[in-house]
Amino acid sequence: MTEDSQRNFRSVYYEKVGFRGVEEKKSLEILLKDDRLDIEKLCTFSQRFPLPSMYRALVWKVLLGILPLHHESHVQVMMYRKEQYSDVLHALKVIRFVSDATPQVEVNLRMYQLESGKLPRSPSFPPEPEDEVFLAIAKAMEEMVEDHVDCYWIIRCFVNQLNNKYRDFLPQLPKAFEQYLNLEDTRLLSHLKTCSAVSKLPYDLWFRRCFAGCLPESSLQRVWDKVVSGSCKILVFVAVEILLTFKIKVMALNSAEKITKFLENMPQDSSDAIVSKAIDLWHKHCGTPVHSA
């Protein structure tokens, strides 16, 4: 029996006896032991499987460019990252934009604003829409990543990925959502159109905020695995699956305002199932895309 066939046999066996993911975890550990980490393989793994929680922050930091590909440089690079974090935080304290009492999510925003040249003239200025997006993502990320330095760098690079790599794709997602919902349930889409709800759905919450504040972090991180590793299109299928899951409720609502309000405050007890079905739907329509939006 070849090595590949042995691996496939073990995967099937583990899945049958309820240990799905054991082989995947081993495969990831092998990838992470390479002297030079392979971005392509890590992206492929992240798009095919959920990342084990113990390795998620490490993989995200590598894929987002926070850590280099060579293991021997990781400690030194993170030392530089911590120094930069401390320097920026100190500068914000000197100019009295933050203090020891400032909530960490706001500290992260001020640090990002200072580093990107967008710090307002006064801390009392109301936040801009893009700041609200940052705060929503930062708040969710804080629930996923314990270390303040790691958390800030991941938020910073995640937001930059949305603003740069996905800048041209994000505005197209509402149209893609309509296209795939039509393929899955024409009647449901027709109801949304009848209620004039299609243009009023919570696209900012779904696509600009990547479901931060909509899904619980335990479900959200599985979606963000795909976003970090190269595909923002997964967001479309999460939105489609939300509509399919709550079809009966949505069909019973007869106005755009009621539908939008429900979707913005939807029950969270089905979130894990929604994300699992959304990932299956994504693979069904898109295969396993790598480095593609």
Side-chain angles (χ1 to χ4, degrees):
M1 188 180 287
T2 66
E3 185 178 345
D4 283 343
S5 59
Q6 284 181 327
R7 183 177 294 113
N8 291 337
F9 172 80
R10 288 198 302 272
S11 295
V12 171
Y13 171 75
Y14 281 129
E15 190 164 337
K16 281 186 175 178
V17 297
F19 289 98
R20 187 181 181 195
V22 172
E23 280 294 285
E24 285 77 12
K25 181 170 177 281
K26 288 181 179 178
S27 297
L28 179 60
E29 288 172 347
I30 291 169
L31 290 177
L32 292 174
K33 285 178 182 175
D34 287 346
D35 288 337
R36 188 181 188 279
L37 297 172
D38 190 317
I39 289 286
E40 195 74 31
K41 289 180 179 178
L42 286 174
C43 284
T44 300
F45 182 94
S46 300
Q47 297 207 352
R48 289 186 64 193
F49 310 109
L51 290 169
S53 56
M54 63 188 296
Y55 296 123
R56 179 168 277 113
L58 172 60
V59 174
W60 283 9
K61 285 193 290 183
V62 171
L63 295 184
L64 290 170
I66 299 163
L67 285 175
L69 301 183
H70 293 281
H71 278 289
E72 63 267 22
S73 303
H74 283 192
V75 173
Q76 187 175 23
V77 168
M78 278 314 298
M79 184 179 72
Y80 293 147
R81 301 293 191 201
K82 287 178 183 178
E83 288 176 358
Q84 185 174 337
Y85 178 94
S86 297
D87 289 344
V88 175
L89 181 58
H90 177 69
L92 286 168
K93 287 181 177 179
V94 168
I95 61 176
R96 298 184 180 180
F97 259 76
V98 303
S99 68
D100 291 336
T102 304
Q104 187 61 37
V105 68
E106 187 181 333
V107 170
N108 288 329
L109 172 63
R110 297 306 187 192
M111 291 180 68
Y112 182 76
Q113 288 175 329
L114 181 59
E115 289 201 285
S116 57
K118 296 179 180 178
L119 193 68
R121 283 179 289 176
S122 167
S124 63
F125 280 26
E128 299 288 337
E130 64 184 59
D131 299 332
E132 298 285 6
V133 171
F134 184 97
L135 288 168
I137 290 171
K139 186 176 180 183
M141 198 72 80
E142 284 183 5
E143 297 297 320
M144 303 179 196
V145 183
E146 291 183 9
D147 183 86
H148 286 331
V149 177
D150 280 356
C151 189
Y152 170 69
W153 277 99
I154 292 174
I155 296 165
R156 178 184 189 267
C157 294
F158 185 88
V159 170
N160 282 340
Q161 184 186 53
L162 295 177
N163 292 339
N164 298 313
K165 180 177 181 180
Y166 298 143
R167 180 182 58 196
D168 295 332
F169 292 101
L170 290 174
Q172 300 173 22
L173 297 188
K175 188 174 182 180
F177 161 79
E178 189 175 339
Q179 172 193 343
Y180 288 111
L181 182 60
N182 185 51
L183 290 173
E184 293 298 317
D185 197 316
T186 306
R187 185 165 168 259
L188 181 52
L189 178 61
S190 295
H191 175 70
L192 295 177
K193 288 182 176 179
T194 300
C195 297
S196 301
V198 175
S199 63
K200 298 178 182 177
L201 295 175
Y203 295 126
D204 273 2
L205 175 63
W206 291 350
F207 303 145
R208 289 193 67 209
R209 301 188 185 198
C210 299
F211 292 95
C214 178
L215 296 174
E217 286 72 25
S218 57
S219 304
L220 189 61
Q221 59 193 4
R222 294 167 57 207
V223 177
W224 286 6
D225 285 345
K226 316 307 178 191
V227 176
V228 168
S229 59
S231 178
C232 66
K233 204 169 187 179
I234 181 62
L235 302 173
V236 169
F237 295 100
V238 176
V240 169
E241 192 54 51
I242 286 173
L243 266 296
L244 295 176
T245 298
F246 295 112
K247 174 180 177 177
I248 294 174
K249 176 67 175 178
V250 171
M251 292 290 283
L253 299 172
N254 56 10
S255 75
E257 291 72 21
K258 290 178 181 177
I259 291 171
T260 301
K261 185 177 180 181
F262 171 76
L263 293 173
E264 287 176 341
N265 302 280
M266 68 177 202
Q268 296 196 342
D269 51 1
S270 303
S271 297
D272 281 342
I274 286 171
V275 170
S276 294
K277 290 176 183 177
I279 291 171
D280 289 343
L281 205 59
W282 175 60
H283 286 305
K284 169 186 164 184
H285 287 288
C286 301
T288 307
V290 176
H291 293 304
S292 64

